[in-house]
Amino acid sequence: MSDSPTTPSAPRPKGEPRFPDGPSPDPAGSHFERRIRSFQPRRSRVTTSQADALQRLWPKWGLDIDGQRMLDLVELFGTEQAELPVVLEIGFGMGEATAQMAADDPDTGILAVDVHTPGQGNLLGLAERNNLTNIRVANGDAVILLREMLPPGSLDGLRVYFPDPWPKARHHKRRIIQPDFLDLAAPRLKPGALLHCATDWEPYAEQMLDVLTAHPAFENTQPDGGYAPRPSFRPLTRFEGQGLDKGHVVHDLLFRRTSGR
C-alpha cells in the first residue's frame, strides 16, 4: 500500500523549519546573493514515511548548504572510510537511481544535492532500508556548496542527470551547464575525475556538448568528440523510461577533468 499524504497542519511561522530536526527551508538565508538560479524549489506534499525519514535520519545523513563552513568529506562519510572517493550528484529527483548507484558501488560515496523535500525524504528512506551508508543528502544551492563548502580537489566525480532544460529561449540562461558553472566545478574535481551529464532534451544536449568541448579544464572521453553510450553505472530510471516511450532520445556526455587548468 502506498503512503498516504500527511495531514495538512496550521501554517508555520515564517522561518520555522518544516521538520524540527530536518532540512531547513532556506539554509543559506541572507547569504544568498542576487543571481539567476538553475533551480526552482517544488513544494510537493510529503508522505508520512518521507516525513519520518527526514525527522529521524537528517541529523545523521543530511546537511544544509548554508555556505558558512568548509566540509571535511572524510568526516562527513565517516572516519573509518578515509579512502572513500566521493562523487557529487546535483539533482536526484526521488532518489531511486542514486540509491541504485550507491548499492552497486558501495566503495564510492555519493553526496546528493536537491531542494525537493519529498525526494530528500524518499532517498533517506531508501538508504536506511537498503543499508546504504555511502549516501549523504544535501539541501540547498549546489553553487554555494561548490563555491564555499567543498575544498579544491575533493571530488572524484560530478553527475548532473536530467537537469531542468528551461526550454524557452528567454530561460536558457538558467540552465546549469554554463561556462561559469564549469569554472566553479573544475577546481573541486581531481584530475581524471568524470563529469557525467545526461538529458533527453536535444537542444540542451547540443548546448552541453558545445560548452563542455570548449572548456579547457575538460576533455571528451569519446574519440569522435560526440555523445557517449549510456554507461552501465547509470541506471535506467522510470522518468527516463517514460521519455523513451514518448520517443525522446537520451544523450549522455562523459568528460574528464584534465590535469591542466
Side-chain angles (χ1 to χ4, degrees):
M1 180 180 294
S2 62
D3 297 314
S4 59
T6 53
T7 303
S9 57
R12 297 182 305 277
K14 186 176 181 181
E16 180 181 319
R18 182 176 303 181
F19 306 98
D21 297 317
S24 168
D26 186 14
S30 61
H31 186 72
F32 273 109
E33 71 279 20
R34 289 186 175 275
R35 61 178 168 81
I36 297 172
R37 292 184 176 81
S38 63
F39 65 90
Q40 186 169 347
R42 294 169 290 162
R43 310 203 180 281
S44 304
R45 187 71 64 84
V46 177
T47 66
T48 52
S49 66
Q50 293 163 1
D52 175 68
L54 287 165
Q55 185 69 28
R56 293 187 301 102
L57 301 174
W58 190 260
K60 179 181 180 182
W61 288 335
L63 67 103
D64 281 320
I65 300 172
D66 56 14
Q68 302 299 317
R69 66 196 190 282
M70 189 69 68
L71 293 178
D72 183 331
L73 295 182
V74 173
E75 179 182 351
L76 182 66
F77 282 89
T79 54
E80 72 279 3
Q81 303 183 76
E83 301 302 321
L84 192 74
V86 176
V87 171
L88 175 64
E89 181 179 0
I90 299 177
F92 56 79
M94 295 304 292
E96 292 96 341
T98 304
Q100 184 62 56
M101 290 186 288
D104 292 342
D105 185 10
D107 293 327
T108 295
I110 300 179
L111 177 54
V113 181
D114 212 305
V115 293
H116 189 218
T117 309
Q120 294 167 351
N122 198 61
L123 179 53
L124 288 170
L126 288 169
E128 181 182 51
R129 289 193 295 275
N130 295 285
N131 194 30
L132 304 175
T133 61
N134 56 328
I135 293 176
R136 299 294 181 269
V137 180
N139 169 55
D141 190 338
V143 167
I144 292 178
L145 176 67
L146 281 165
R147 190 183 64 204
E148 299 179 36
M149 297 180 68
L150 289 175
S154 58
L155 296 174
D156 291 84
L158 174 58
R159 298 167 180 168
V160 186
Y161 297 155
F162 303 99
D164 193 327
W166 294 102
K168 295 181 180 179
R170 68 177 184 272
H171 293 154
H172 287 181
K173 57 191 175 183
R174 291 183 177 272
R175 292 175 173 177
I176 189 171
I177 303 301
Q178 306 276 4
D180 288 350
F181 175 79
L182 298 180
D183 288 344
L184 177 63
R188 277 74 185 172
L189 292 165
K190 297 175 183 176
L194 283 180
L195 168 55
H196 183 194
C197 302
T199 182
D200 64 341
W201 197 264
E202 183 81 25
Y204 196 10
E206 294 171 355
Q207 176 187 320
M208 288 181 178
L209 185 60
D210 290 343
V211 170
L212 283 162
T213 299
H215 201 283
F218 296 95
E219 61 182 5
N220 200 330
T221 62
Q222 302 306 298
D224 65 357
Y227 302 111
R230 180 176 68 87
S232 59
F233 64 80
R234 184 176 72 75
L236 182 65
T237 64
R238 180 172 49 188
F239 169 82
E240 183 177 355
Q242 291 170 347
L244 293 172
D245 290 341
K246 296 175 183 177
H248 296 185
V249 177
V250 176
H251 292 293
D252 284 81
L253 300 95
L254 276 172
F255 278 71
R256 183 178 294 107
R257 172 72 167 98
T258 63
S259 57
R261 172 173 174 258

